[in-house]
Amino acid sequence: DKIDNDLSDGRRFLVGDQYSMADLVATVLLARIHFGKQDTVFSDKVQAYWQSMKSEILSPARQFYIKWRILIP
């Protein structure tokens, strides 16, 4: 419900105008639900968000890993 509410204003990402840590966490959560074959519980907005985030996850996830690995050894 929280993700659905956050996306109700038409935004592409949960926080800000680019992929953020919030999207990374949400993508992991949605992936766990999806892999458990439970994605039929996704609302239309969350389903569209999930489809969009699947295509976004690899590059930004690597960037976060590199950034945080450098900042927090």
Side-chain angles (χ1 to χ4, degrees):
D1 288 341
K2 173 74 172 126
I3 294 173
D4 195 42
N5 287 338
D6 288 347
L7 298 172
S8 66
D9 61 4
R11 70 178 92 178
R12 181 166 181 216
F13 301 105
L14 292 177
V15 179
D17 60 353
Q18 63 184 355
Y19 194 87
S20 70
M21 188 65 81
D23 296 298
L24 179 65
V25 171
T27 303
V28 170
L29 172 66
L30 295 174
R32 296 281 297 170
I33 294 168
H34 170 75
F35 293 134
K37 306 292 185 208
Q38 302 288 325
D39 57 349
T40 57
V41 300
F42 294 167
S43 69
D44 291 342
K45 289 180 194 118
V46 174
Q47 183 66 31
Y49 173 77
W50 163 240
Q51 295 301 321
S52 175
M53 291 303 104
K54 284 195 303 186
S55 65
E56 298 268 348
I57 192 169
L58 293 178
S59 178
R62 276 195 298 269
Q63 291 172 9
F64 273 116
Y65 174 75
I66 291 166
K67 177 181 175 181
W68 288 106
R69 187 168 178 220
I70 291 169
L71 294 176
I72 306 171

